[in-house]
Amino acid sequence: MILLQLFYSFFKIGLFTIGGGYAMLAIIQQEIVRYGWLTRAEFVDIVSIAEMTPGPIAVNAATFVGYRSAGLAGALAATTAVVLPSLISVMVVAKAWERYKSSQAVQGMFGGIRPVVVGLVGAAAVLVATTSLETLTGLGVKVGTLLIAAGSFGAVYYLKWDPIKVLLGAGLLGLLLF
Amino acid sequence: MSSKLKDFWRLFTAFFRIGAFTFGGGFAMLPLIEKEVVDRNGWAERDEILDIFALAQSVPGAIGVNTAVFVGGRLYGIAGAIVALVGVITPSFLIILVIAHFFAQFKDNPYVASAFAGLRGAIIGLIACAAVRVARTAIFDRFGLAVAVTAFFLSVNGIIPAVWLMVLGGLAGYLYYTRKKQEKTL
């Protein structure tokens, strides 16, 4: 039963992952919380792990959640489910998309979907921030976390630092400060 | 090894390498995919790569996974698609299995907990950064801005599931942009 739930949830997550994993954090969180597979704090930790390990975030989250809730079988079920929509959509839709991508209707639809993705990514940042602040204890740690967040943003957005190095640096800062 | 098996092995290892060295989302993959697919193996022309990427971003699924399926499928049909797909996800599957297995022991360790507290701050910054970058390519008029702000508030409050927000956004975009086009032509 749990394998079916995992399969269904992660198939849905894969199906609605369009244009990058961050927009999917909101959906992944909804599904994880709905079935109680992980706590919200664990969810934020998965995002950190997914960022530090290679591979798409949705695939990382599928393997992790699947394994934690139903062992190796769960990891295989969730990972297969999350990539299955890619196989189907790219093989089937690719040809139709080539033909219709410049049509008014398809252009219009994507004109509406892309801004939604922006809103979802923004919401993911706020969700991760509020979850972190709720679960971390001590005013110093909370303020420190926000300062690290601001510093990371500046380092990656303006200074174009490598995100992996920023993450390693932040982990090190956490070790030293908290 | 038969030549067919050799071709599949080449495809598998190329996407295994892409999967093993891609951190933090699809856009970081572009240079690596270009190197493997265009320079090393000649599976696509350089200007085709951007079209493949545009397609990978516009259909459901993670960008790296979609690119693998597209390149593999174009070379050897559905079997090629599956070989490239398995290649690109195997590295992260194995690494995450190991981490998930030892996670319970790790996370209660005080040093690990401190490191993760620092990491959470960086994650907030990285996601905010992604939001700003996506906004710069996706929003170019008032309609787009209104849709993004609406989606943001509905998603933060959890009023409407994210999946439905995308469906509604697509519908709104279809209605708005086709009508606007008609007004222009009248």
Side-chain angles (χ1 to χ4, degrees), chain B residues 91-137:
Chain B
S92 60
F93 185 77
L94 296 178
I95 292 168
I96 295 288
L97 271 192
V98 172
I99 292 175
H101 189 78
F102 292 107
F103 189 64
Q105 285 145 273
F106 269 133
K107 73 171 178 178
D108 296 325
N109 178 306
Y111 295 108
V112 175
S114 303
F116 267 98
L119 281 171
R120 285 183 193 177
I123 292 295
I124 299 166
L126 288 185
I127 300 179
C129 181
V132 177
R133 281 191 182 150
V134 185
R136 289 182 60 171
T137 58

Side-chain angles (χ1 to χ4, degrees), chain A residues 19-39:
Chain A
Y22 286 122
M24 287 311 93
L25 291 181
I27 297 185
I28 296 174
Q29 190 173 22
Q30 277 167 14
E31 293 294 318
I32 285 172
V33 170
R34 171 161 20 145
Y35 293 109
W37 285 324
L38 298 172
T39 65

Side-chain angles (χ1 to χ4, degrees), chain B residues 32-102:
Chain B
L32 201 63
I33 291 174
E34 200 172 343
K35 191 175 138 206
E36 290 290 339
V37 173
V38 179
D39 300 335
R40 281 178 88 132
N41 292 296
W43 288 324
E45 300 294 321
R46 195 167 303 280
D47 55 347
E48 280 177 310
I49 275 289
L50 277 178
D51 285 347
I52 293 173
F53 240 63
L55 178 87
Q57 275 177 67
S58 313
V59 300
I63 295 173
V65 177
N66 288 350
T67 307
V69 172
F70 191 81
V71 173
R74 215 169 66 153
L75 286 170
Y76 311 114
I78 184 84
I82 292 171
V83 167
L85 169 69
V86 173
V88 84
I89 63 172
T90 298
S92 60
F93 185 77
L94 296 178
I95 292 168
I96 295 288
L97 271 192
V98 172
I99 292 175
H101 189 78
F102 292 107

Side-chain angles (χ1 to χ4, degrees), chain A residues 104-106 108-112, chain B residues 143 169-179:
Chain A
Q104 265 184 47
V106 172
M109 271 166 55
F110 275 101
Chain B
F143 169 80
L171 196 66
Y174 170 75
L175 293 173
Y176 178 82
Y177 286 112
T178 47
R179 178 167 296 182

Side-chain angles (χ1 to χ4, degrees), chain A residues 3 6-15 58-63 66 72-88, chain B residues 65 82 85-86 89 93:
Chain A
L3 290 182
L6 281 168
F7 194 91
Y8 172 71
S9 279
F10 278 97
F11 185 84
K12 206 159 72 178
I13 290 166
L15 190 61
V59 178
N60 291 161
T63 310
L72 189 61
L76 282 171
T79 309
T80 308
V82 86
V83 298
L84 206 53
S86 295
L87 198 61
I88 298 168
Chain B
V65 177
I82 292 171
L85 169 69
V86 173
I89 63 172
F93 185 77

